[in-house]
Amino acid sequence: MKIGELAARTGCQPVTIRYYEQAGLLPVPPRSEGNYRVYTRAHEERLLFIRNCRALDMSLEEIRQLLDYQDNPSGDCSEINALVEAHIEHVSSRIKVLQQLQDKLVALRQRCTGAEPSCSILQELTAGEPHVSQDSDSHVGHSH
Amino acid sequence: MKIGELAARTGCQPVTIRYYEQAGLLPVPPRSEGNYRVYTRAHEERLLFIRNCRALDMSLEEIRQLLDYQDNPSGDCSEINALVEAHIEHVSSRIKVLQQLQDKLVALRQRCTGAEPSCSILQELTAGEPHVSQDSDSHVGHSH
DNA sequence: TAAACACCCTATAGTGGCTATAGAGTCAAG
DNA sequence: CTTGACTCTATAGCCACTATAGGGTGTTTA
Ligand SMILES: [Zn+2]
Ligand SMILES: [Zn+2]
Ligand SMILES: [Zn+2]
Ligand SMILES: [Zn+2]
């Protein structure tokens, strides 16, 4: 299987596959005579694993850990559980922050009556309120 | 006011202030004899505006737009309202995605009984389900 | 006067998870 | 034998910063 077919099978672009190889998540595949990467079902499974994890917004580092547990099974689920638990916390704490932002944004939208000399939204944003910084220990990302 | 004081007043690092200048969000300030940037209250207000917007997770591009409306007031709130509305949509769509991920993650955690030969969590992640890609038109970021 | 120290300057590279581009090679079909 | 689809490598860009190196400035203290 060449990279294009693997990409089509996994819903993933060839460049991304090469990137995962570079990042040490996918094992380096053998090459054909013409220097093309040649993949097997094992690669496909592993890539699907990665894509499933990415679809859950795990970081590549978290995925690296899970793959490591998979490659060196210890019969102990506790580390896997801890990782999943930690990632649930990443996601849920990000949700909380975003919900607070949403509340503030809705309140901000409310401020505009359309009848002011200068829009109240801009005035509100100019006001120097105690600004709450976003927590940076969570890795679950931004809205843009 | 030198950059350190401005940074302290706005809860923002000096490097970030220079970055905003470079990015065209803060006007280039005059320099002192010793080539230090010298800021005024006007700079402080503008930087507070930017930080307030960033605290709401707006992108620098969105902030650029708002600053532009502020610098060229048209008496028309509709563009400002549209921008805020669009950003609320960025945030809320990100929240929806993350809530779905959270549900899946909780279900995933549930799978581990601690009694399997190989952890069911890894098996579930290996399974090649139809993977739902995250929408990429929203700019509100990731959990990590 | 000199040394220490806090602050400031520029320039460059790194972060994460890709995407985009340039320039070249491979391979099957017409 | 040329076209076209695919592949290769290497490099740069995206966002909003953060980190580092290597130097200059300015005040305080020994
Ligand atoms: Zn995580
Ligand atoms: Zn208004
Ligand atoms: Zn937005
Ligand atoms: Zn288990």
Side-chain angles (χ1 to χ4, degrees):
Chain A
M1 186 174 14
K2 283 185 288 181
I3 200 169
E5 189 182 344
L6 179 60
R9 277 168 180 268
T10 55
C12 177
Q13 286 182 272
V15 279
T16 304
I17 296 174
R18 289 190 282 259
Y19 172 74
Y20 290 155
E21 176 185 331
Q22 169 69 26
L25 295 176
L26 270 181
V28 177
R31 300 290 184 113
S32 72
E33 280 189 16
N35 198 34
Y36 288 5
R37 288 171 179 82
V38 179
Y39 295 100
T40 64
R41 295 279 158 75
H43 289 99
E44 185 185 342
E45 262 198 24
R46 198 174 177 90
L47 182 51
L48 276 175
F49 184 95
I50 294 170
R51 295 308 289 177
N52 285 336
C53 291
R54 285 294 299 136
L56 294 171
D57 217 13
M58 290 183 195
S59 69
L60 294 193
E61 182 53 39
E62 286 169 326
I63 299 170
R64 225 186 304 271
Q65 279 286 341
L66 286 181
L67 288 170
D68 199 48
Y69 297 148
Q70 202 174 43
D71 294 341
N72 307 79
S74 66
D76 179 15
C77 297
S78 64
E79 294 179 303
I80 297 169
N81 278 277
L83 194 151
V84 171
E85 193 64 41
H87 183 60
I88 289 176
E89 177 58 25
H90 295 155
V91 172
S92 71
S93 73
R94 182 68 184 156
I95 289 174
K96 271 179 209 142
V97 169
L98 288 181
Q99 273 170 343
Q100 288 169 0
L101 296 194
Q102 196 182 27
D103 293 347
K104 288 186 192 167
L105 283 163
V106 168
L108 184 67
R109 175 178 54 181
Q110 189 103 344
R111 299 268 306 183
C112 175
T113 67
E116 284 91 19
S118 153
C119 185
S120 301
I121 289 176
L122 297 184
Q123 288 174 339
E124 184 77 9
L125 286 170
T126 304
E129 301 164 26
H131 110 271
V132 183
S133 68
Q134 311 208 24
D135 60 345
S136 53
D137 54 345
S138 162
H139 72 129
V140 180
H142 315 284
S143 327
H144 303 95
Chain B
M1 189 177 6
K2 284 186 288 181
I3 201 170
E5 188 182 345
L6 179 60
R9 277 167 180 269
T10 55
C12 177
Q13 285 181 274
V15 279
T16 305
I17 296 174
R18 288 190 281 258
Y19 172 74
Y20 289 155
E21 176 184 330
Q22 170 69 28
L25 295 177
L26 269 182
V28 177
R31 299 292 182 112
S32 73
E33 280 189 16
N35 199 33
Y36 289 5
R37 288 171 179 85
V38 179
Y39 295 100
T40 64
R41 295 278 160 75
H43 290 98
E44 185 185 342
E45 261 197 25
R46 199 174 177 91
L47 181 51
L48 276 175
F49 184 95
I50 295 170
R51 295 308 289 177
N52 284 337
C53 291
R54 285 295 298 135
L56 294 171
D57 218 11
M58 290 183 194
S59 69
L60 293 194
E61 182 53 37
E62 287 168 325
I63 299 170
R64 226 186 304 271
Q65 279 287 341
L66 286 181
L67 288 170
D68 201 46
Y69 298 148
Q70 202 174 43
D71 294 342
N72 307 78
S74 66
D76 179 15
C77 298
S78 65
E79 294 178 304
I80 296 168
N81 277 277
L83 193 151
V84 171
E85 193 64 42
H87 183 60
I88 289 176
E89 177 58 24
H90 295 155
V91 171
S92 71
S93 74
R94 182 68 184 156
I95 289 174
K96 271 180 208 139
V97 169
L98 288 180
Q99 274 169 343
Q100 288 169 359
L101 296 194
Q102 197 182 24
D103 292 347
K104 287 187 191 164
L105 282 163
V106 168
L108 184 67
R109 175 179 54 181
Q110 189 103 345
R111 300 269 304 182
C112 174
T113 66
E116 284 93 17
S118 152
C119 186
S120 302
I121 289 176
L122 297 183
Q123 288 175 338
E124 184 77 10
L125 287 169
T126 304
E129 301 163 25
H131 110 271
V132 182
S133 68
Q134 312 208 22
D135 60 345
S136 52
D137 54 346
S138 162
H139 73 129
V140 180
H142 314 284
S143 327
H144 301 93

